[in-house]
Amino acid sequence: SHQWVKVNETESQQSGQCMQRNIDLGRPPFEGCGTYEIYTDTGFANYDSTGAHCYYPSVDALDAIYESYPNATFVMVVRNTSSWFKSVESWGDGSLLKRWSACNTTGFGWTMEREKIEHYYDWHTENIRQFARDHPSINYIEVELESPEAGRILEEKIGIPSKCWAKCTPYSKFCKPAS
């Protein structure tokens, strides 16, 4: 599942919304959030006339995820901080950064200063690494997004065929296989 889950035959919702509801109700985070083996990009930052609605399980729900799934595999895809910033800055003509700046949740709500946004990325990356170190039953895998070895590492560690790893952008219809 990438960002969205099918919760029944006719209804889909953002995976983070499903997880947030479950955690608020004291249930396992992925209960009723589809029958997927892998969940990616589970956070959301939505904005409407009532304000920002944001939730990032990789920031605010790590303990709840661990409590329900102590042997889970966390795959952390990282990249150079400046490269990451350029990517999110251009995504949707900057709309993602604007939504994040309106979020009132851990680590968000910053001004639109590059230095603060990059600091958040570095903090988040280190926070996940530390969480994995503190919870050794988690299978933690870290791969560099732009590494030519990323596909091989994922295939070796979790069985995803390396040919499935591709370079994609929000503006491209087709992905190019990683070289």
Side-chain angles (χ1 to χ4, degrees):
S1 163
H2 182 249
Q3 294 182 331
W4 290 85
V5 294
K6 192 167 188 144
V7 294
N8 60 44
E9 288 299 316
T10 60
E11 182 186 3
S12 294
Q13 71 179 166
Q14 289 175 298
S15 53
Q17 291 173 323
C18 187
M19 293 176 71
Q20 183 179 31
R21 182 192 69 234
N22 284 334
I23 291 167
D24 289 348
L25 294 172
R27 299 190 304 221
F30 295 110
E31 184 177 294
C33 297
T35 56
Y36 307 96
E37 291 183 35
I38 299 170
Y39 294 82
T40 66
D41 288 343
T42 57
F44 65 89
N46 299 330
Y47 193 83
D48 61 25
S49 60
T50 64
H53 308 280
C54 311
Y55 188 72
Y56 280 81
S58 67
V59 175
D60 293 311
L62 288 173
D63 289 327
I65 294 168
Y66 177 75
E67 184 177 305
S68 293
Y69 315 103
N71 299 306
T73 297
F74 285 31
V75 178
M76 181 74 164
V77 180
V78 297
R79 68 192 310 181
N80 170 280
T81 303
S82 295
S83 175
W84 172 83
F85 177 82
K86 288 176 188 172
S87 176
V88 296
E89 180 183 45
S90 66
W91 195 92
D93 294 325
S95 68
L96 183 58
L97 285 178
K98 288 175 188 165
R99 286 183 278 154
W100 282 348
S101 70
C103 289
N104 185 18
T105 189
T106 305
F108 291 96
W110 56 60
T111 60
M112 296 294 284
E113 297 169 49
R114 180 179 180 148
E115 181 179 300
K116 290 184 180 190
I117 296 165
E118 287 182 344
H119 175 75
Y120 169 79
Y121 176 78
D122 292 335
W123 168 84
H124 178 261
T125 301
E126 186 52 39
N127 190 55
I128 297 290
R129 289 173 178 154
Q130 187 61 52
F131 188 84
R133 285 190 294 269
D134 292 344
H135 299 83
S137 67
I138 292 172
N139 180 22
Y140 178 76
I141 301 165
E142 185 171 303
V143 294
E144 292 184 35
L145 177 68
E146 292 144 346
S147 169
E149 296 297 311
R152 183 194 57 74
I153 292 167
L154 291 173
E155 183 170 7
E156 179 183 299
K157 300 282 186 180
I158 55 178
I160 295 173
S162 62
K163 67 181 180 182
C164 293
W165 191 254
K167 181 174 179 142
C168 302
T169 65
Y171 306 108
S172 64
K173 264 189 169 177
F174 302 102
C175 299
K176 299 175 186 175
S179 49

